[in-house]
Amino acid sequence: MTSGNLPEQSRGRPATRREAGGVERSTATPQLPGAHDATDFNFVPSPDRFHFWEELHDDVKAYVERKVGPRIDWWADRHKREHDRPYAVVLGPNGLAVTTPRVNEQGQRTQSVRLDQFVPSSLKHAVVQQQPTKPRGALRNLVPGRAGTPQPAAAPPPQLNLTQEMRGFLGNLPLEAQHRLQTPFLAGQPVKHYLSYAYGTDEDYEAWCYLAGDRTLTFASGHCTRPRGVEASQAAWQLTCYQADIAR
């Protein structure tokens, strides 16, 4: 992980979305994280990610592209602390960059850039779909036993050290996506930093998030359609989940 500090302002133009390299195949996983309960996003009218991306200085965007490569996926939004200033998260073939608005010792507005560089060619992706007729519960990794045979009580699924807000965000995603995002961090690798973002309406929205540790980064983005009154587990989803090894 490295960081930079660059001036902020100006306008830019959204780049063309590009696809990542290899495709990850689904494999059985001996230990799975628990599913989270979904929380409502309670969307309010606000500018979209393109608006906030344009608020970043061209030098910041150029620096990010030099470090992580052409954008595969990204979002930009109003920063929670600096409400009048943007931040951005950019996934590229060579790493993940997260910008944060700062003020330097001279009182100038800057953007610090946190970088997680990837091991070359380690970024992989998998498509996750959920149809309203296929609830999340059907994806659970259960071991069937004989009818009438008592089964030993299952140990509670492991939980990652995430805020309740992040857990609620993950709870809106298909169970397979929750597993892909969290499973790499179950074997003693703590999550060091994470962020999430969603934009749209309660019935139709786009969502992005990532989790990063010392050795692994996971990222997901996709589109959800959820008619009013429908449970999150019955929403229609089309997602892409990414995973990469972080260079140490």
Side-chain angles (χ1 to χ4, degrees):
M1 179 198 77
T2 58
S3 63
N5 201 34
L6 299 105
E8 171 193 316
Q9 67 130 42
S10 183
R11 301 195 173 273
R13 183 175 302 166
T16 302
R17 178 169 173 160
R18 307 189 187 186
E19 294 301 323
V23 177
E24 177 188 351
R25 304 297 180 185
S26 297
T27 58
T29 305
Q31 187 181 39
L32 295 176
H36 300 295
D37 294 326
T39 55
D40 292 332
F41 289 120
N42 298 317
F43 292 103
V44 297
S46 64
D48 63 14
R49 62 181 180 145
F50 296 98
H51 169 87
F52 291 107
W53 180 257
E54 291 178 353
E55 295 301 315
L56 291 173
H57 195 286
D58 288 343
D59 288 348
V60 176
K61 290 180 275 194
Y63 175 83
V64 166
E65 183 166 352
R66 286 198 304 272
K67 293 297 184 179
V68 306
R71 279 181 288 164
I72 293 170
D73 216 328
W74 63 280
W75 80 82
D77 193 19
R78 180 183 290 112
H79 195 264
K80 288 186 176 181
R81 185 188 68 250
E82 303 287 342
H83 300 296
D84 63 335
R85 301 175 62 190
Y87 80 95
V89 175
V90 179
L91 175 72
N94 303 324
L96 182 90
V98 181
T99 80
T100 303
R102 307 284 189 196
V103 176
N104 65 18
E105 294 178 354
Q106 291 73 42
Q108 298 170 322
R109 291 187 169 194
T110 65
Q111 288 275 337
S112 67
V113 183
R114 177 170 187 158
L115 295 168
D116 286 292
Q117 303 285 172
F118 297 157
V119 173
S121 302
S122 68
L123 181 65
K124 298 183 176 4
H125 74 270
V127 174
V128 175
Q129 297 181 4
Q130 175 174 282
Q131 300 301 325
T133 56
K134 297 179 181 179
R136 299 184 301 184
L139 294 171
R140 293 185 183 276
N141 186 25
L142 301 177
V143 179
R146 291 184 178 180
T149 302
Q151 299 297 311
Q159 297 286 349
L160 303 184
N161 185 24
L162 306 173
T163 62
Q164 195 60 41
E165 180 181 7
M166 188 65 180
R167 294 177 191 274
F169 181 97
L170 293 174
N172 283 281
L173 305 182
L175 189 64
E176 182 183 351
Q178 294 189 49
H179 288 172
R180 287 183 176 277
L181 285 163
Q182 298 177 93
T183 298
F185 305 100
L186 299 181
Q189 178 187 185
V191 177
K192 295 294 187 180
H193 60 105
Y194 54 88
L195 284 172
S196 62
Y197 170 71
Y199 185 85
T201 68
D202 290 329
E203 292 79 38
D204 192 285
Y205 62 88
E206 306 281 340
W208 294 261
C209 67
Y210 78 84
L211 305 175
D214 287 331
R215 303 185 303 275
T216 310
L217 181 135
T218 58
F219 186 108
S221 65
H223 177 257
C224 177
T225 302
R226 179 184 174 186
R228 189 178 300 275
V230 171
E231 295 291 329
S233 61
Q234 294 295 301
W237 274 100
Q238 177 82 18
L239 281 155
T240 304
C241 294
Y242 301 89
Q243 182 174 324
D245 299 328
I246 295 174
R248 304 178 69 185

